[in-house]
Amino acid sequence: MGGDTSAGKAIVKPDCCNITFGASAGTDMLNDRSSTLSLLRTRRSGRPRDLIAPGPDAAQLREMLEIAIRVPDHGKLAPWRFVHVAKAQRPAFARLLHAAYRAGNPAPARLEVEAVDRFANQAPELVVALSSPVEGTKIPQWEQELSCGAACMNLMLAAHAMGFAAGWVTGWAAYSPEVLAAFARGRERIAGFIFIGTPAVPLEERPRPAFDFAVAEWSPPA
C-alpha cells in the first residue's frame, strides 16, 4: 500500500518491507533542469511504455553515451558496453524476444504475446547496457559491476538533462540466455534496457527512502 505522494507530505511505510519513506517532490518539479543541483534533486525516470517521440537524434544520443562513459572506473578497465538498438532493428529485436520467451513458455497466452511485443517496440530509442567484467586484474568484479551501474545512471541523467526522459528496466529478457547470446561477448551480462523518449503523460513521483533511514553517522564499536 502506498501513502500520499503529494508535495511535502510524508509517505506511509508499506507493510511489505522495513523501509521508512520521507517527503516526496511535487510532480511539477520533476527533472527540473534549471540547475545541475535541481536536476539531481528532482530526477525521475520515465516509464518506458509512456515514452513517445520525439526521441534524441543521432548526435544527441551520441552525446548521451559519451557522457555515460565518464564514470568512476577503478583500474581504467571500462567494464561496460552499450549497444544501440535502432528503430529499424526493432522488428528483429521483437522476433528475438518472442523466440526467447517461447523457449521457456511454448504456448504463451495472448496477453503475454502482446506484452513482449509492447516491450520490444516502446519508446523512440533503446540502449542495451552490458556489464563487461575484465578478468585477470586485481580489480574485484564487484567494483567493476558498480562502475557499470554508474555508467547506466550517467546515461539516464544525460537524457534527462537534454529534456528527454529515460527508463532503466530489466525483467525476464535481461536474464534470458537467448537474449543474452544476441548481445553479449564472453562473460558479459545484461545490466538493463534503457529506453529514451518524451513522456506522453506527466511524470509521477515515487516513494523515496527517508534520509535517516538511508544515512547514518559512524561510531566506533563498543
Side-chain angles (χ1 to χ4, degrees):
M1 294 177 61
D4 191 337
T5 59
S6 58
K9 294 185 179 180
I11 298 173
V12 177
K13 179 175 67 174
D15 296 333
C16 63
C17 58
N18 293 319
I19 299 176
T20 300
F21 293 98
S24 65
T27 56
D28 58 336
M29 300 172 59
L30 299 178
N31 290 342
D32 178 1
R33 296 188 293 143
S34 61
S35 71
T36 301
L37 284 177
S38 294
L39 177 59
L40 292 173
R41 292 182 69 91
T42 62
R43 190 214 67 81
R44 179 68 173 101
S45 301
R47 293 188 183 94
R49 65 178 180 270
D50 294 335
L51 300 179
I52 61 173
D57 60 27
Q60 289 173 315
L61 184 60
R62 181 185 177 93
E63 185 175 5
M64 290 178 191
L65 291 166
E66 288 174 340
I67 292 169
I69 62 179
R70 291 187 61 89
V71 292
D73 174 13
H74 189 189
K76 296 180 285 294
L77 301 176
W80 19 256
R81 271 194 323 120
F82 294 104
V83 178
H84 176 223
V85 181
K87 207 62 175 171
Q89 297 299 335
R90 292 295 190 95
F93 181 60
R95 291 192 294 273
L96 167 67
L97 292 190
H98 281 293
Y101 191 81
R102 289 176 184 274
N105 302 272
R110 177 181 60 84
L111 292 179
E112 294 175 278
V113 172
E114 291 176 357
V116 171
D117 199 59
R118 186 164 54 249
F119 183 92
N121 291 289
Q122 61 193 354
E125 295 297 341
L126 167 59
V127 175
V128 180
L130 295 153
S131 173
S132 309
V134 178
E135 298 181 321
T137 174
K138 66 179 183 179
I139 310 303
Q141 181 170 320
W142 168 238
E143 293 188 18
Q144 298 185 48
E145 292 169 348
L146 290 173
S147 183
C148 177
C152 291
M153 190 67 236
N154 253 24
L155 177 55
M156 300 274 288
L157 285 170
H160 299 154
M162 294 174 71
F164 301 100
W168 173 8
V169 296
T170 50
W172 69 269
Y175 302 96
S176 163
E178 292 80 12
V179 177
L180 179 64
F183 286 94
R185 303 170 182 167
R187 294 178 59 246
E188 290 182 334
R189 298 172 63 187
I190 294 176
F193 302 92
I194 299 176
F195 292 91
I196 305 170
T198 299
V201 297
L203 298 176
E204 296 181 357
E205 180 59 304
R206 50 160 284 183
R208 304 289 177 179
F211 181 88
D212 290 339
F213 175 84
V215 182
E217 295 290 337
W218 181 79
S219 297

